[in-house]
Amino acid sequence: AQSVTQLDSHVSVSEGTPVLLRCNYSSSYSPSLFWYVQHPNKGLQLLLKYTSAATLVKGINGFEAEFKKSETSFHLTKPSAHMSDAAEYFCVVSGNTDKLIFGTGTRLQVFP
Amino acid sequence: KAGVTQTPRYLIKTRGQQVTLSCSPISGHRSVSWYQQTPGQGLQFLFEYFSETQRNKGNFPGRFSGRQFSNSRSEMNVSTLELGDSALYLCASSRGDWTDTQYFGPGTRLTVL
C-alpha cells in the first residue's frame, strides 16, 4: 500500500526567502512521486516527478525535490519564493497503477 | 496540444437528482482518471478508465459510475445526489502506463442543494 504524509498544513515565507515543503512517503513498491500545485479555483499542475532516475529532480518555476530512500522523504524546495508561488501544494505517490494517492496538501503563503 | 477539458465547469443540483460530467483527454491519451476534491476529505481517487474498460476503482459507493468512449472521452455519473457530493471533480488523462504523468483538467464544481 502507498501513502504520503505532508508534514505541514501551512507554510509562510517572505518573498525572496527559501521554500521548504516536507513530504514523507510509504510504498510497497518502488514508487513514483510527484508534486502538484493548485492555484485558487484552478486544476492541478504538475511541478515535477520522480520515477527512479536521478534522485534530485528539477521541476518548473525553479522548484526541485530530492528523493531520499533512507529517509522515505521527497521534500520540495525553491531557493527564492515569489508572490506567484502562493498556492496549495500536493505531494503524490503512485505504485504500479494509475491510481494517485494524494497528501493532504500544504498551503504556501508568500508575504511581500 | 490542447489540454484536458471538462464540461460543465459549474453545476448546481438538488438532492436526489443525478448528474453527468464530461472529460475530454489530451489527444493520444487513452487513460482517464476521476478524482473528487472536498475540504474535508481532500483529493480522493474515484476510478480510472483505459481503452473503454474500468481498470482501477476507488472506495466510493455504486452511485458513482463512469464510462469511456472509443475516442477516450469519459463521462462520470452520480445518481441520487447527496449534500456530501458537493465537491470539485477533477479528471486527469495519461497515455496509460503507470509511470506516465497524469495531466489534470480544470475541474467541475458541483454544488448539491
Side-chain angles (χ1 to χ4, degrees):
Chain A
Q2 297 86 38
S3 67
V4 287
T5 302
Q6 292 185 245
L7 300 171
D8 307 291
S9 58
H10 289 85
V11 170
S12 297
V13 300
S14 297
E15 192 174 23
T17 64
V19 175
L20 170 64
L21 306 184
R22 300 182 295 163
C23 172
N24 288 347
Y25 72 91
S26 173
S27 178
S28 307
Y29 306 95
S30 181
S32 290
L33 292 159
F34 310 80
W35 277 97
Y36 280 87
V37 62
Q38 186 176 36
H39 290 276
N41 300 313
K42 295 286 180 65
L44 291 157
Q45 181 183 22
L46 179 71
L47 280 177
L48 49 82
K49 76 173 186 179
Y50 166 80
T51 53
S52 76
T55 56
L56 183 63
V57 183
K58 294 190 183 297
I60 62 171
N61 300 335
F63 285 95
E64 63 181 36
E66 186 172 8
F67 174 73
K68 291 187 176 180
K69 187 175 181 179
S70 61
E71 299 176 12
T72 61
S73 69
F74 189 58
H75 301 334
L76 181 70
T77 60
K78 182 174 180 177
S80 176
H82 191 272
M83 294 296 290
S84 61
D85 294 329
E88 185 107 22
Y89 291 79
F90 293 94
C91 182
V92 183
V93 66
S94 73
N96 63 345
T97 72
D98 258 28
K99 176 180 176 180
L100 299 180
I101 308 296
F102 284 80
T104 51
T106 298
R107 183 164 298 279
L108 176 65
Q109 283 187 301
V110 183
F111 294 102
Chain B
K1 194 183 258 191
V4 179
T5 58
Q6 292 186 245
T7 56
R9 292 292 311 279
Y10 300 91
L11 266 178
I12 299 176
K13 293 286 187 180
T14 57
R15 279 180 298 174
Q17 288 186 309
Q18 75 165 20
V19 66
T20 299
L21 314 181
S22 179
C23 173
S24 293
I26 292 171
S27 177
H29 285 189
R30 296 167 63 192
S31 169
V32 174
S33 297
W34 289 89
Y35 295 83
Q36 182 197 63
Q37 185 177 25
T38 60
Q41 300 298 317
L43 274 149
Q44 296 184 90
F45 172 78
L46 280 155
F47 31 66
E48 182 230 353
Y49 285 85
F50 179 79
S51 292
E52 301 179 65
T53 300
Q54 188 180 87
R55 190 163 67 170
N56 288 293
K57 189 177 187 304
N59 298 322
F60 278 81
R63 299 186 297 107
F64 292 82
S65 62
R67 59 177 175 169
Q68 187 180 34
F69 301 95
S70 58
N71 62 358
S72 294
R73 189 177 70 85
S74 176
E75 287 182 348
M76 189 191 104
N77 185 274
V78 187
S79 63
T80 319
L81 283 166
E82 301 177 358
L83 295 179
D85 297 332
S86 294
L88 180 67
Y89 290 88
L90 294 161
C91 84
S93 77
S94 75
R95 290 178 298 175
D97 185 275
W98 65 273
T99 61
D100 291 335
T101 298
Q102 292 191 32
Y103 295 90
F104 283 80
T108 295
R109 172 77 61 186
L110 172 64
T111 302
V112 182
L113 303 176

